[in-house]
Coordinates of all heavy atoms in Angstrom, one line a residue:
M1 N 131.2 120.5 113.8 CA 131.1 119.0 113.7 C 129.7 118.6 113.2 O 129.6 117.7 112.4 CB 131.3 118.5 115.1 CG 131.4 117.0 115.2 SD 133.0 116.5 114.7 CE 133.1 114.9 115.3
S2 N 128.6 119.3 113.7 CA 127.3 118.9 113.2 C 127.1 119.1 111.7 O 126.4 118.4 111.0 CB 126.2 119.6 114.0 OG 126.3 121.0 113.8
S3 N 127.7 120.2 111.2 CA 127.5 120.4 109.7 C 128.2 119.3 108.9 O 127.7 118.9 107.9 CB 128.1 121.8 109.4 OG 129.3 121.7 108.7
C4 N 129.3 118.8 109.4 CA 129.9 117.7 108.7 C 129.1 116.4 108.8 O 128.9 115.7 107.8 CB 131.4 117.5 109.3 SG 132.3 116.2 108.4
G5 N 128.4 116.2 109.9 CA 127.6 115.0 110.0 C 126.3 115.2 109.1 O 125.9 114.2 108.6
H6 N 125.9 116.4 109.0 CA 124.8 116.7 108.1 C 125.1 116.4 106.7 O 124.3 115.8 106.0 CB 124.3 118.1 108.3 CG 123.2 118.5 107.5 ND1 121.9 118.0 107.7 CD2 123.0 119.3 106.4 CE1 121.0 118.5 106.9 NE2 121.7 119.3 106.1
T7 N 126.3 116.7 106.2 CA 126.7 116.5 104.9 C 126.8 115.0 104.6 O 126.4 114.5 103.6 CB 128.1 117.1 104.6 OG1 128.0 118.5 104.9 CG2 128.6 116.9 103.2
N8 N 127.3 114.2 105.6 CA 127.4 112.8 105.5 C 126.0 112.2 105.4 O 125.8 111.2 104.6 CB 128.2 112.2 106.7 CG 129.6 112.5 106.6 OD1 130.2 112.8 105.5 ND2 130.3 112.4 107.7
L9 N 125.1 112.8 106.2 CA 123.7 112.2 106.1 C 123.1 112.4 104.7 O 122.5 111.5 104.1 CB 122.9 112.9 107.1 CG 121.3 112.6 107.2 CD1 121.2 111.0 107.5 CD2 120.6 113.4 108.2
I10 N 123.3 113.6 104.2 CA 122.8 113.9 102.8 C 123.4 113.0 101.8 O 122.8 112.4 100.9 CB 123.0 115.4 102.4 CG1 122.1 116.2 103.3 CG2 122.7 115.6 100.9 CD1 122.4 117.7 103.1
Y11 N 124.7 112.8 101.8 CA 125.4 111.9 100.9 C 124.9 110.6 101.1 O 124.6 109.9 100.1 CB 127.0 111.9 101.2 CG 127.7 111.0 100.3 CD1 127.9 111.2 99.0 CD2 128.2 109.8 100.9 CE1 128.6 110.3 98.2 CE2 128.8 108.9 100.1 CZ 129.1 109.1 98.8 OH 129.7 108.2 98.0
S12 N 124.7 110.1 102.3 CA 124.2 108.7 102.5 C 122.8 108.5 102.0 O 122.5 107.4 101.4 CB 124.2 108.4 104.0 OG 125.5 108.4 104.5
R13 N 122.0 109.5 102.1 CA 120.6 109.3 101.5 C 120.7 109.3 100.0 O 120.0 108.5 99.4 CB 119.8 110.7 101.8 CG 119.3 110.6 103.2 CD 118.6 112.0 103.4 NE 117.2 111.8 103.8 CZ 116.5 112.8 104.1 NH1 116.8 114.0 103.9 NH2 115.2 112.6 104.5
E14 N 121.6 110.1 99.3 CA 121.7 110.0 97.9 C 122.2 108.6 97.4 O 121.7 108.1 96.5 CB 122.7 111.1 97.4 CG 122.1 112.5 97.5 CD 123.1 113.6 97.2 OE1 124.2 113.3 96.9 OE2 122.7 114.8 97.3
V15 N 123.2 108.1 98.1 CA 123.7 106.8 97.8 C 122.6 105.7 98.0 O 122.3 104.9 97.2 CB 124.9 106.4 98.7 CG1 125.3 104.9 98.5 CG2 126.1 107.3 98.3
L16 N 121.8 105.9 99.1 CA 120.7 105.0 99.4 C 119.7 105.0 98.3 O 119.2 104.0 97.8 CB 120.1 105.2 100.8 CG 118.9 104.3 101.2 CD1 119.3 102.9 101.2 CD2 118.3 104.8 102.5
L17 N 119.3 106.2 97.9 CA 118.2 106.4 96.9 C 118.7 105.8 95.5 O 117.9 105.3 94.8 CB 117.7 107.9 96.7 CG 117.0 108.4 98.0 CD1 116.8 109.9 97.7 CD2 115.7 107.7 98.1
T18 N 119.9 106.1 95.2 CA 120.5 105.6 94.0 C 120.5 104.0 94.0 O 120.3 103.4 92.9 CB 121.9 106.1 93.8 OG1 121.8 107.5 93.9 CG2 122.5 105.7 92.4
A19 N 120.7 103.5 95.1 CA 120.9 102.0 95.1 C 119.6 101.2 95.3 O 119.5 100.0 95.2 CB 121.8 101.6 96.4
M20 N 118.5 102.0 95.5 CA 117.2 101.3 95.7 C 116.7 100.6 94.5 O 116.9 101.2 93.4 CB 116.2 102.4 96.2 CG 116.4 102.9 97.6 SD 115.2 104.2 98.0 CE 113.8 103.2 98.3
P21 N 116.1 99.4 94.6 CA 115.7 98.7 93.4 C 114.4 99.5 92.9 O 113.7 100.1 93.6 CB 115.3 97.4 93.9 CG 115.0 97.6 95.4 CD 115.9 98.7 95.8
G22 N 114.2 99.3 91.6 CA 113.1 99.9 90.9 C 113.2 99.6 89.4 O 114.0 98.9 89.0
P23 N 112.3 100.2 88.7 CA 112.4 100.0 87.2 C 113.8 100.4 86.7 O 114.3 101.4 87.1 CB 111.3 101.0 86.6 CG 110.4 101.2 87.8 CD 111.3 101.2 89.0
S24 N 114.3 99.7 85.8 CA 115.6 99.9 85.2 C 115.6 101.1 84.3 O 116.7 101.6 83.9 CB 116.1 98.7 84.6 OG 115.3 98.3 83.5
R25 N 114.4 101.5 83.8 CA 114.4 102.7 82.9 C 113.0 103.3 82.9 O 112.1 102.7 83.4 CB 114.7 102.1 81.4 CG 113.6 101.2 80.9 CD 113.9 100.6 79.6 NE 113.0 99.5 79.3 CZ 111.8 99.6 78.8 NH1 111.2 100.8 78.6 NH2 111.0 98.6 78.6
E26 N 113.0 104.5 82.4 CA 111.7 105.2 82.3 C 110.9 104.7 81.2 O 111.4 104.3 80.1 CB 112.0 106.7 82.1 CG 110.8 107.5 81.9 CD 110.0 107.7 83.3 OE1 110.5 107.5 84.4 OE2 108.8 108.0 83.2
V27 N 109.6 104.5 81.4 CA 108.7 104.0 80.3 C 108.5 105.1 79.3 O 108.2 106.2 79.6 CB 107.4 103.5 80.8 CG1 106.4 103.1 79.7 CG2 107.6 102.2 81.7
T28 N 108.8 104.9 78.0 CA 108.6 105.9 77.0 C 107.3 105.8 76.2 O 106.6 104.8 76.4 CB 109.8 105.8 75.9 OG1 109.6 104.5 75.3 CG2 111.2 105.8 76.6
R29 N 107.0 106.8 75.4 CA 105.8 106.8 74.6 C 105.9 105.5 73.7 O 104.9 104.8 73.4 CB 105.7 108.1 73.8 CG 105.4 109.2 74.6 CD 105.0 110.4 73.7 NE 106.1 110.8 72.8 CZ 106.9 111.9 72.9 NH1 106.8 112.7 73.9 NH2 107.9 112.1 72.0
D30 N 107.1 105.3 73.1 CA 107.2 104.1 72.2 C 107.0 102.8 72.9 O 106.4 101.9 72.4 CB 108.7 104.1 71.6 CG 108.9 105.1 70.6 OD1 107.9 105.7 70.0 OD2 110.1 105.5 70.4
D31 N 107.4 102.7 74.2 CA 107.1 101.5 75.0 C 105.5 101.3 75.1 O 105.1 100.1 74.9 CB 107.6 101.6 76.4 CG 109.2 101.6 76.4 OD1 109.8 101.0 75.5 OD2 109.7 102.3 77.4
V32 N 104.8 102.3 75.4 CA 103.4 102.3 75.6 C 102.7 101.9 74.2 O 101.9 101.0 74.1 CB 102.8 103.6 76.1 CG1 101.3 103.6 76.1 CG2 103.4 103.8 77.5
L33 N 103.1 102.6 73.1 CA 102.6 102.4 71.8 C 102.8 100.9 71.4 O 102.0 100.2 70.8 CB 103.1 103.4 70.8 CG 102.3 103.6 69.6 CD1 100.9 103.9 69.8 CD2 103.0 104.6 68.7
E34 N 104.1 100.4 71.6 CA 104.5 99.1 71.2 C 103.6 98.1 72.0 O 103.1 97.1 71.4 CB 105.9 98.9 71.5 CG 106.4 97.4 71.1 CD 107.8 97.3 71.4 OE1 108.6 98.2 71.1 OE2 108.2 96.2 71.8
M35 N 103.3 98.3 73.2 CA 102.5 97.4 74.0 C 101.0 97.4 73.5 O 100.4 96.4 73.3 CB 102.5 97.8 75.5 CG 101.5 97.0 76.4 SD 102.1 95.3 76.7 CE 103.6 95.6 77.6
M36 N 100.6 98.6 73.1 CA 99.2 98.7 72.6 C 99.1 98.0 71.2 O 98.0 97.5 70.9 CB 98.8 100.2 72.6 CG 98.7 100.8 73.9 SD 98.3 102.6 73.8 CE 96.5 102.5 73.4
T37 N 100.0 98.1 70.4 CA 99.9 97.5 69.0 C 100.3 96.0 69.1 O 100.0 95.3 68.2 CB 100.8 98.3 68.1 OG1 102.1 98.2 68.5 CG2 100.3 99.7 67.9
G38 N 101.0 95.5 70.1 CA 101.5 94.2 70.1 C 100.6 93.2 70.7 O 100.9 92.0 70.7
R39 N 99.4 93.6 71.2 CA 98.5 92.7 71.7 C 97.1 92.8 71.1 O 96.8 93.8 70.4 CB 98.3 93.1 73.2 CG 99.5 93.1 74.1 CD 99.8 91.6 74.6 NE 101.1 91.6 75.3 CZ 101.2 91.7 76.6 NH1 100.1 91.9 77.3 NH2 102.3 91.6 77.1
S40 N 96.3 91.8 71.2 CA 95.1 91.6 70.5 C 94.0 92.6 71.1 O 93.1 93.0 70.4 CB 94.5 90.2 70.6 OG 94.3 89.8 71.9
S41 N 94.2 93.0 72.3 CA 93.2 93.9 73.0 C 93.2 95.2 72.3 O 94.2 95.8 72.1 CB 93.5 94.1 74.4 OG 92.5 95.0 75.0
K42 N 92.0 95.6 71.8 CA 92.0 96.9 71.1 C 91.9 98.1 72.0 O 92.4 99.2 71.6 CB 90.8 97.0 70.1 CG 91.0 95.9 69.0 CD 90.0 96.2 67.9 CE 90.4 95.2 66.7 NZ 89.9 95.7 65.5
E43 N 91.3 98.0 73.1 CA 91.2 99.0 74.1 C 92.0 98.7 75.3 O 92.0 97.6 75.8 CB 89.7 99.4 74.5 CG 89.0 100.0 73.4 CD 87.5 100.4 73.9 OE1 87.1 99.9 74.9 OE2 86.9 101.1 73.1
W44 N 92.6 99.7 76.0 CA 93.4 99.6 77.1 C 93.0 100.5 78.2 O 92.7 101.7 77.9 CB 94.9 99.7 76.8 CG 95.5 98.7 75.9 CD1 95.5 98.8 74.6 CD2 96.2 97.6 76.2 NE1 96.1 97.8 74.0 CE2 96.6 97.0 75.1 CE3 96.6 97.0 77.5 CZ2 97.4 95.8 75.0 CZ3 97.4 95.9 77.4 CH2 97.8 95.3 76.3
S45 N 93.0 100.1 79.5 CA 92.9 101.0 80.5 C 94.3 101.3 81.1 O 95.3 100.6 80.7 CB 92.1 100.3 81.7 OG 92.8 99.3 82.3
V46 N 94.4 102.4 81.8 CA 95.7 102.8 82.4 C 96.2 101.7 83.2 O 97.5 101.3 83.2 CB 95.6 104.1 83.2 CG1 96.8 104.4 84.0 CG2 95.3 105.3 82.3
E47 N 95.3 101.1 84.1 CA 95.8 100.1 85.0 C 96.4 98.9 84.2 O 97.4 98.3 84.7 CB 94.6 99.6 85.9 CG 94.1 100.7 86.8 CD 93.2 101.8 86.2 OE1 92.8 101.6 85.0 OE2 93.0 102.8 86.8
E48 N 95.7 98.4 83.2 CA 96.2 97.3 82.3 C 97.6 97.6 81.8 O 98.5 96.7 81.9 CB 95.3 97.0 81.3 CG 94.0 96.4 81.6 CD 93.0 96.3 80.5 OE1 92.9 97.3 79.7 OE2 92.2 95.3 80.4
L49 N 97.8 98.7 81.2 CA 99.1 99.1 80.7 C 100.1 99.2 81.7 O 101.2 98.7 81.6 CB 99.0 100.3 79.9 CG 98.3 100.2 78.6 CD1 98.0 101.7 78.0 CD2 99.2 99.5 77.5
A50 N 99.8 99.8 82.9 CA 100.8 100.0 83.9 C 101.2 98.6 84.5 O 102.4 98.3 84.7 CB 100.2 100.8 85.0
R51 N 100.3 97.7 84.7 CA 100.6 96.3 85.1 C 101.5 95.6 84.1 O 102.5 95.1 84.5 CB 99.3 95.5 85.3 CG 99.6 94.1 85.8 CD 98.3 93.2 85.7 NE 98.0 93.1 84.2 CZ 96.8 93.2 83.7 NH1 95.7 93.5 84.5 NH2 96.6 93.1 82.4
D52 N 101.2 95.7 82.9 CA 102.0 95.0 81.9 C 103.4 95.6 81.6 O 104.3 94.9 81.2 CB 101.2 94.9 80.6 CG 100.0 93.9 80.7 OD1 99.8 93.3 81.8 OD2 99.3 93.8 79.7
L53 N 103.4 96.9 81.8 CA 104.7 97.6 81.6 C 105.6 97.6 82.8 O 106.7 98.0 82.8 CB 104.5 99.0 81.1 CG 104.0 99.1 79.6 CD1 103.5 100.5 79.3 CD2 105.1 98.7 78.7
G54 N 105.0 97.3 84.0 CA 105.7 97.3 85.2 C 106.1 98.7 85.8 O 107.1 99.0 86.2
C55 N 105.1 99.6 85.6 CA 105.3 101.0 86.1 C 104.1 101.5 86.8 O 103.1 100.9 86.8 CB 105.8 101.9 85.0 SG 104.6 102.1 83.7
S56 N 104.1 102.8 87.2 CA 103.0 103.4 87.9 C 101.8 103.8 86.9 O 102.2 104.1 85.7 CB 103.4 104.6 88.7 OG 103.8 105.6 87.8
N57 N 100.7 103.9 87.5 CA 99.6 104.4 86.6 C 99.8 105.8 86.1 O 99.5 106.2 85.0 CB 98.3 104.4 87.4 CG 97.8 103.0 87.7 OD1 98.3 102.0 87.3 ND2 96.7 103.0 88.5
S58 N 100.4 106.6 87.0 CA 100.6 108.1 86.6 C 101.6 108.1 85.4 O 101.5 109.0 84.5 CB 101.1 108.9 87.7 OG 102.3 108.4 88.3
T59 N 102.7 107.3 85.4 CA 103.6 107.3 84.3 C 102.9 106.9 83.0 O 103.1 107.6 82.0 CB 104.8 106.3 84.5 OG1 105.5 106.7 85.7 CG2 105.7 106.2 83.4
V60 N 102.1 105.8 83.0 CA 101.4 105.5 81.8 C 100.4 106.5 81.4 O 100.3 106.9 80.2 CB 100.6 104.1 82.1 CG1 99.6 103.8 80.9 CG2 101.6 102.9 82.1
Y61 N 99.7 107.1 82.3 CA 98.7 108.2 81.9 C 99.4 109.4 81.3 O 98.9 109.9 80.3 CB 97.9 108.6 83.2 CG 96.9 109.7 82.9 CD1 95.7 109.3 82.3 CD2 97.1 111.0 83.2 CE1 94.8 110.3 82.0 CE2 96.2 112.0 82.9 CZ 95.0 111.6 82.3 OH 94.1 112.5 82.0
N62 N 100.6 109.7 81.8 CA 101.3 110.8 81.2 C 101.7 110.5 79.8 O 101.7 111.3 78.8 CB 102.5 111.2 82.0 CG 102.1 111.8 83.3 OD1 101.1 112.5 83.5 ND2 103.0 111.7 84.3
R63 N 102.2 109.3 79.5 CA 102.6 108.9 78.2 C 101.4 108.8 77.3 O 101.4 109.2 76.2 CB 103.3 107.5 78.2 CG 104.6 107.4 78.9 CD 105.7 108.4 78.5 NE 105.7 109.6 79.1 CZ 106.1 109.9 80.4 NH1 106.6 109.0 81.1 NH2 106.0 111.1 80.9
L64 N 100.2 108.3 77.8 CA 99.0 108.3 77.0 C 98.5 109.6 76.6 O 98.1 109.8 75.4 CB 97.9 107.5 77.8 CG 98.1 106.0 77.9 CD1 97.1 105.4 78.9 CD2 98.0 105.3 76.6
R65 N 98.6 110.6 77.5 CA 98.2 112.0 77.1 C 99.1 112.5 76.1 O 98.6 113.2 75.1 CB 98.2 112.8 78.4 CG 97.0 112.6 79.3 CD 97.0 113.5 80.4 NE 97.2 114.9 79.9 CZ 96.7 115.9 80.5 NH1 96.1 115.8 81.6 NH2 96.9 117.1 80.0
E66 N 100.4 112.2 76.2 CA 101.3 112.7 75.2 C 101.0 112.1 73.8 O 100.9 112.8 72.8 CB 102.8 112.4 75.4 CG 103.3 113.1 76.8 CD 104.5 112.5 77.3 OE1 105.1 111.6 76.8 OE2 105.0 112.9 78.4
L67 N 100.8 110.8 73.8 CA 100.4 110.1 72.5 C 99.1 110.6 72.0 O 99.0 110.7 70.8 CB 100.4 108.6 72.8 CG 101.7 107.9 73.0 CD1 101.5 106.5 73.5 CD2 102.5 107.8 71.7
Y68 N 98.1 110.9 72.8 CA 96.9 111.4 72.3 C 97.1 112.8 71.7 O 96.5 113.1 70.6 CB 95.9 111.5 73.5 CG 94.6 112.1 73.2 CD1 93.7 111.3 72.4 CD2 94.2 113.3 73.5 CE1 92.4 111.8 72.1 CE2 93.0 113.9 73.2 CZ 92.0 113.1 72.4 OH 90.8 113.6 72.1
T69 N 97.8 113.6 72.4 CA 98.2 115.0 71.8 C 98.8 114.9 70.5 O 98.6 115.7 69.6 CB 99.0 115.8 72.9 OG1 98.3 115.9 74.1 CG2 99.4 117.1 72.3
L70 N 99.7 113.9 70.2 CA 100.3 113.7 69.0 C 99.4 113.0 68.0 O 99.9 112.8 66.8 CB 101.6 112.9 69.3 CG 102.7 113.5 70.0 CD1 103.8 112.5 70.4 CD2 103.3 114.7 69.3
G71 N 98.3 112.6 68.3 CA 97.4 112.0 67.4 C 97.6 110.5 67.1 O 97.1 109.9 66.2
E72 N 98.5 109.9 68.0 CA 98.8 108.5 67.8 C 97.8 107.6 68.3 O 97.6 106.4 67.9 CB 100.2 108.2 68.5 CG 101.4 108.9 67.9 CD 101.8 108.4 66.6 OE1 101.6 107.2 66.4 OE2 102.3 109.2 65.8
I73 N 97.0 108.0 69.3 CA 96.0 107.1 69.9 C 94.7 107.9 70.2 O 94.7 109.2 70.1 CB 96.5 106.6 71.3 CG1 96.7 107.7 72.4 CG2 97.7 105.7 71.1 CD1 97.0 107.2 73.8
D74 N 93.6 107.2 70.4 CA 92.4 107.8 70.7 C 91.9 107.4 72.1 O 92.4 106.4 72.6 CB 91.3 107.5 69.7 CG 91.5 108.2 68.4 OD1 91.8 109.4 68.3 OD2 91.4 107.5 67.3
T75 N 90.9 108.0 72.6 CA 90.4 107.7 73.9 C 88.9 107.9 74.0 O 88.3 108.6 73.2 CB 91.1 108.5 75.0 OG1 90.7 108.1 76.3 CG2 90.8 110.0 74.8
R76 N 88.3 107.2 74.9 CA 86.8 107.4 75.3 C 86.7 107.2 76.8 O 87.4 106.5 77.4 CB 85.9 106.4 74.5 CG 86.0 105.0 75.0 CD 85.0 104.2 74.2 NE 85.1 102.7 74.6 CZ 84.5 102.2 75.6 NH1 83.7 102.9 76.4 NH2 84.7 101.0 76.0
K77 N 85.7 107.8 77.2 CA 85.3 107.6 78.7 C 84.0 106.8 78.8 O 83.1 107.1 78.0 CB 85.2 109.0 79.3 CG 85.1 108.9 80.9 CD 85.4 110.3 81.5 CE 85.3 110.0 83.0 NZ 85.9 111.1 83.8
N78 N 84.0 105.9 79.7 CA 82.9 105.1 80.0 C 82.6 105.1 81.5 O 83.3 104.4 82.2 CB 83.1 103.6 79.5 CG 81.9 102.7 79.7 OD1 80.8 103.2 79.9 ND2 82.1 101.5 79.5
G79 N 81.7 105.9 81.9 CA 81.5 106.1 83.4 C 82.7 106.8 84.0 O 83.2 107.8 83.5
Q80 N 83.3 106.2 84.9 CA 84.5 106.6 85.6 C 85.8 106.2 84.9 O 86.9 106.5 85.2 CB 84.6 106.3 87.1 CG 83.5 107.1 87.9 CD 83.6 106.7 89.3 OE1 84.4 105.9 89.7 NE2 82.9 107.5 90.1
N81 N 85.7 105.2 83.9 CA 86.8 104.6 83.3 C 87.1 105.3 82.0 O 86.2 105.7 81.3 CB 86.6 103.1 83.1 CG 86.3 102.4 84.4 OD1 87.0 102.6 85.3 ND2 85.3 101.5 84.4
R82 N 88.4 105.3 81.7 CA 88.8 105.8 80.4 C 89.6 104.7 79.7 O 90.3 104.0 80.3 CB 89.7 107.0 80.6 CG 90.2 107.7 79.2 CD 90.7 109.0 79.4 NE 89.8 110.1 79.7 CZ 89.0 110.6 78.9 NH1 88.9 110.3 77.6 NH2 88.1 111.5 79.3
Y83 N 89.3 104.5 78.3 CA 90.0 103.5 77.5 C 90.7 104.2 76.4 O 90.3 105.2 75.9 CB 88.9 102.5 77.0 CG 88.2 101.8 78.2 CD1 87.0 102.3 78.7 CD2 88.9 100.7 78.8 CE1 86.4 101.6 79.8 CE2 88.3 100.0 79.8 CZ 87.1 100.5 80.3 OH 86.5 99.9 81.4
W84 N 91.8 103.6 76.0 CA 92.7 104.1 75.0 C 93.0 103.1 73.9 O 93.0 101.9 74.3 CB 94.1 104.5 75.6 CG 93.9 105.4 76.9 CD1 93.6 105.0 78.1 CD2 94.1 106.8 76.9 NE1 93.5 106.0 78.9 CE2 93.8 107.2 78.2 CE3 94.4 107.8 76.0 CZ2 93.9 108.5 78.7 CZ3 94.5 109.1 76.4 CH2 94.3 109.5 77.7
W85 N 93.1 103.4 72.7 CA 93.4 102.5 71.6 C 94.3 103.3 70.6 O 94.3 104.5 70.5 CB 92.2 101.9 71.0 CG 91.3 102.9 70.4 CD1 91.3 103.2 69.0 CD2 90.2 103.7 70.9 NE1 90.3 104.2 68.8 CE2 89.7 104.5 69.9 CE3 89.7 103.7 72.2 CZ2 88.6 105.3 70.2 CZ3 88.7 104.6 72.4 CH2 88.1 105.4 71.4
V86 N 94.9 102.5 69.7 CA 95.8 103.1 68.7 C 94.8 103.7 67.6 O 93.9 103.1 67.2 CB 96.7 102.0 68.0 CG1 97.5 102.6 66.9 CG2 97.6 101.4 69.0
A87 N 95.1 104.9 67.2 CA 94.3 105.7 66.3 C 94.2 104.9 65.0 O 95.1 104.3 64.5 CB 94.9 107.1 66.0
G88 N 93.0 104.9 64.5 CA 92.6 104.2 63.2 C 92.4 102.7 63.3 O 92.2 102.1 62.3
T89 N 92.5 102.1 64.5 CA 92.3 100.7 64.6 C 90.9 100.2 65.0 O 90.6 99.1 64.9 CB 93.3 100.0 65.6 OG1 93.0 100.6 66.9 CG2 94.7 100.3 65.3
K90 N 90.0 101.2 65.3 CA 88.7 100.8 65.6 C 87.8 101.3 64.4 O 88.0 102.2 63.8 CB 88.1 101.6 66.8 CG 88.7 101.0 68.1 CD 88.2 101.7 69.3 CE 86.8 101.2 69.6 NZ 86.2 101.6 70.9
T91 N 86.8 100.4 64.2 CA 85.8 100.7 63.1 C 84.7 101.5 63.7 O 84.6 101.6 64.9 CB 85.3 99.4 62.5 OG1 84.5 98.7 63.5 CG2 86.3 98.5 61.9
E92 N 83.9 102.1 62.8 CA 82.7 102.9 63.3 C 81.8 102.1 64.2 O 81.2 102.5 65.1 CB 82.0 103.4 62.0 CG 82.8 104.5 61.3 CD 83.0 105.7 62.2 OE1 82.1 106.1 63.0 OE2 84.1 106.3 62.0
V93 N 81.6 100.7 63.8 CA 80.7 99.9 64.6 C 81.2 99.7 66.0 O 80.4 99.7 67.0 CB 80.6 98.5 63.9 CG1 79.7 97.6 64.7 CG2 80.0 98.7 62.5
E94 N 82.5 99.6 66.1 CA 83.1 99.3 67.5 C 83.1 100.6 68.3 O 83.0 100.6 69.5 CB 84.6 98.8 67.3 CG 84.7 97.5 66.8 CD 86.1 97.1 66.5 OE1 86.9 98.0 65.9 OE2 86.5 96.1 66.9
A95 N 83.3 101.8 67.7 CA 83.3 103.0 68.4 C 82.0 103.4 68.9 O 81.5 103.3 69.8 CB 83.7 104.2 67.4

């Protein structure tokens, strides 16, 4: 009897987790890149992008690292903060 109850508990948890509200989709690299190119701000922090995309900082950071590896964006560190921009959009004077 207890094993049957345990199965029901697991099933109920899966249904509950599936029904929980949250982002309707995973944020993609294209979503991040589109956000970065569609606004006037040339540099972005992870926090700004996460807020505007409605997702976690870690999701945005992972997409930014992927885009950086692909050469689509550049980054710089200023103290404890890191900033990201679309590759080729900053001039030497701004960099």
